[in-house]
């Protein structure tokens, strides 16, 4: 009867696809290797990373040899004959991952396509030079420890977590190969307009602020702003402005001796009566009463 191979928990021989924004990272194989596992000379139409975890080993490719130590890596291009050689009686432990990338069939945003272009360009340079050697800073070893923990314990969501960690490991290495600043300048996705509106309120609560002013700044209609704010926060623009103004007023009540009229002006209200009305509606007490009740608790 054939014996079963007894691998490290980080041995993964199932092909899995890890989705990114506009390309997929397709992982064909991963394993934490050591000097007890001989690696024969071979080639494959896939990329491969050899990452030093402990000790050192020798990577050979096209009659060239590179010694690889802890935190050093080899990123190998496609279709190049290679092998790993160990020094006699020397410790060697390394992580290897065989992968490819594939574009998505569905349309992506311009920023996502730009990111894919940068990744593909970096890998094309690796293909041209056969392989690249580098060093990861910061170290990726804690990341691999997380992979091992997920694979051993298998908590809820471990499959998705491991996929995300493999993708993070890939970018650790790729950034070391291509350290240039990305030209993808904006986050990918739709702007959270409702949240952006609240940031405008925080920045301008002391001024004469209106929904028309914010709608012009964001180039969306006032009606659309109110609808989005109702969906996310369950409140209108006007209500949110008043609540935020009142919260800032609380700070001034507890941290200053300013009059109610002065505090009202500082938070963008036309009179102390308006501030008092807000407090009675939201807190059930007047600003003066709020100050008296909470002044001793101020930091």
């Amino acid at each position: 009867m054939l014996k079963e191979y007894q691998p490290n928990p980080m041995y993964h021989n199932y092909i899995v696809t890890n989705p990114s924004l506009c390309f997929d990272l397709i992982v064909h194989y991963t394993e934490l290797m050591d000097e007890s596992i001989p690696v024969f000379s071979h080639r494959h139409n896939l990329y491969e990373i050899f990452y030093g975890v402990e000790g050192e080993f020798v990577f050979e490719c096209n009659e060239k040899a590179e010694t690889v130590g802890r935190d050093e890596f080899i990123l190998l291009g496609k279709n190049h004959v290679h092998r790993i050689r160990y020094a006699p009686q020397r410790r060697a432990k390394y992580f290897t991952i065989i992968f490819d990338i594939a574009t998505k069939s569905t349309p992506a945003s311009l920023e996502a396509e730009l990111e894919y272009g940068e990744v593909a360009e970096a890998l094309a340079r690796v293909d041209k030079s056969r392989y690249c050697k580098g060093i990861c800073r910061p170290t990726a070893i804690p990341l691999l420890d997380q992979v091992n923990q997920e694979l051993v314990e298998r908590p809820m969501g471990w499959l998705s977590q491991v996929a995300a960690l493999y993708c993070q490991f890939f970018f650790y290495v790729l950034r070391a190969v291509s350290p240039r600043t990305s030209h993808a300048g904006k986050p990918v996705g739709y702007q959270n307009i409702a949240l952006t509106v609240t940031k405008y309120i925080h920045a301008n609560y002391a001024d004469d602020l209106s929904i028309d002013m914010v709608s012009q700044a964001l180039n969306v209609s006032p009606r659309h702003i109110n609808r989005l704010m109702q969906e996310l926060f369950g409140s209108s623009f006007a209500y949110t402005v008043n609540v935020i103004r009142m919260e800032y007023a609380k700070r001034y009540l507890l941290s200053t001796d300013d009059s109610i009229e002065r505090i009202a002006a500082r938070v963008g209200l036309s009179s102390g009566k308006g501030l008092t009305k807000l407090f009675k509606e939201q807190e059930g007490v007047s600003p003066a009463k709020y100050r008296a009740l909470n002044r001793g608790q101020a930091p």
Side-chain angles (χ1 to χ4, degrees), residues 12-17 26-29:
H12 181 174
N13 66 340
Y14 294 91
I15 300 174
V16 295
T17 300
I26 305 170
V27 175
H28 290 251
Y29 157 83

Side-chain angles (χ1 to χ4, degrees), residues 201-214:
I201 298 172
H202 281 289
N204 299 278
Y205 70 89
D207 301 323
D208 184 16
L209 183 64
S210 71
I211 192 171
D212 290 330
M213 295 165 59
V214 177

Side-chain angles (χ1 to χ4, degrees), residues 209-245:
L209 183 64
S210 71
I211 192 171
D212 290 330
M213 295 165 59
V214 177
S215 70
Q216 290 177 14
L218 295 178
N219 197 30
V220 294
S221 70
R223 182 178 179 181
H224 189 54
I225 286 177
N226 266 327
R227 181 177 65 81
L228 293 176
M229 295 194 71
Q230 285 287 353
E231 289 177 358
L232 187 61
F233 300 115
S235 61
S236 67
F237 174 86
Y239 178 86
T240 305
V241 170
N242 284 337
V243 169
I244 288 176
R245 281 174 167 165

Side-chain angles (χ1 to χ4, degrees), residues 117-129:
E118 292 173 344
V119 170
E121 181 184 352
L123 290 175
R125 291 199 300 271
V126 175
D127 282 324
K128 186 175 181 180
S129 60

Side-chain angles (χ1 to χ4, degrees), residues 17 19-24 102-109 113 116:
T17 300
S20 186
L21 292 171
C22 72
F23 69 91
D24 293 327
T103 56
K104 290 184 179 294
S105 57
T106 55
S109 71
E113 290 181 356
Y116 169 74

